[in-house]
Amino acid sequence: MRSKTMQRLHMLCEGALFVALAQILSMLKLWEMPWGGSITLGMLPIFLFAVRWGTKWGLVSGFALSLLQVMFDGGFAISWQSIVGDYLLAFTVLGLAGLGKGKKRGIFLGTVVGSAARFLVHWVVGATVWAMYMPEEFFGMTMTSPWFYSLLYNGFYMVIDMILCLVVFGLLFRPLHKYLTGADLKKYSR
């Protein structure tokens, strides 16, 4: 019983710290798109937490981050659909990185899954809710389809975000292997 309580306390404290770190990292923008979306390392702590504790708690941490993003991001929302899609849904699905839990290189799988899920949400919201703001030209190409525009717009920063997270995890994998895989949490299963 004591071990289960300690595990829960560990998970809640780690979750709170990782969500706060994710919010801080998301404010340190390397590049910001004109209608929202930016290149940051904000997803990294949520991916790590999700891979360590699983999909359920990863989704909870992603949802907590989504609430902070709505409050502190500066408001790139044009309607309630935009708030639900671009914030609540898009950041919650980062927790799907928990599908990598227990796998040898699960942090990399989780990063790709979480990034892809967030991209898909932004892509659909961009092509539907934001379609009226599609410019005539983007990246030197004539835009005729909101789906193609949203693919380019959201794909640009999401692919870079994912690659940055993969590079950081790649650099840390060998020295911090037991933390990146959650192996240090096995002490609770004794």
Side-chain angles (χ1 to χ4, degrees):
M1 180 66 168
R2 180 162 153 55
S3 179
K4 207 67 159 151
T5 302
M6 291 302 291
Q7 179 182 18
R8 177 64 57 100
L9 181 61
H10 183 150
M11 186 264 304
L12 289 171
C13 290
E14 192 171 294
L17 288 171
F18 281 16
V19 169
L21 180 59
Q23 178 61 31
I24 291 166
L25 288 173
S26 74
M27 293 173 154
L28 303 174
K29 298 175 181 182
L30 303 173
W31 175 268
E32 189 167 12
M33 300 291 283
W35 290 99
S38 54
I39 297 170
T40 73
L41 287 172
M43 300 187 300
L44 193 132
I46 302 302
F47 292 154
L48 179 56
F49 181 79
V51 169
R52 288 173 56 77
W53 295 98
T55 305
K56 173 184 159 186
W57 292 110
L59 292 169
V60 170
S61 68
F63 181 71
L65 177 61
S66 78
L67 295 176
L68 292 175
Q69 288 289 303
V70 168
M71 289 188 286
F72 299 115
D73 190 39
F76 277 109
I78 56 170
S79 65
W80 67 268
Q81 295 97 331
S82 177
I83 292 170
V84 169
D86 281 330
Y87 291 96
L88 301 180
L89 256 173
F91 287 94
T92 298
V93 298
L94 293 176
L96 292 174
L99 295 171
K101 180 183 179 190
K103 296 183 174 44
K104 186 176 180 181
R105 298 198 180 274
I107 193 71
F108 302 106
L109 171 66
T111 297
V112 171
V113 168
S115 297
R118 180 178 169 200
F119 164 75
L120 287 173
V121 172
H122 285 309
W123 181 47
V124 171
V125 172
T128 55
V129 176
W130 290 91
M132 68 182 102
Y133 295 99
M134 181 179 76
E136 290 182 25
E137 191 175 283
F138 187 69
F139 284 150
M141 294 179 270
T142 302
M143 293 292 112
T144 57
S145 164
W147 291 96
F148 184 65
Y149 168 64
S150 184
L151 177 82
L152 289 177
Y153 185 97
N154 292 296
F156 175 74
Y157 70 90
M158 284 302 306
V159 167
I160 295 171
D161 273 2
M162 180 184 71
I163 290 169
L164 283 173
C165 288
L166 288 170
V167 167
V168 170
F169 287 138
L171 293 171
L172 298 176
F173 193 73
R174 190 168 276 186
L176 299 176
H177 179 263
K178 73 178 185 178
Y179 301 105
L180 296 180
T181 61
D184 64 311
L185 302 175
K186 293 192 189 311
K187 64 185 172 195
Y188 294 117
S189 59
R190 290 184 211 152

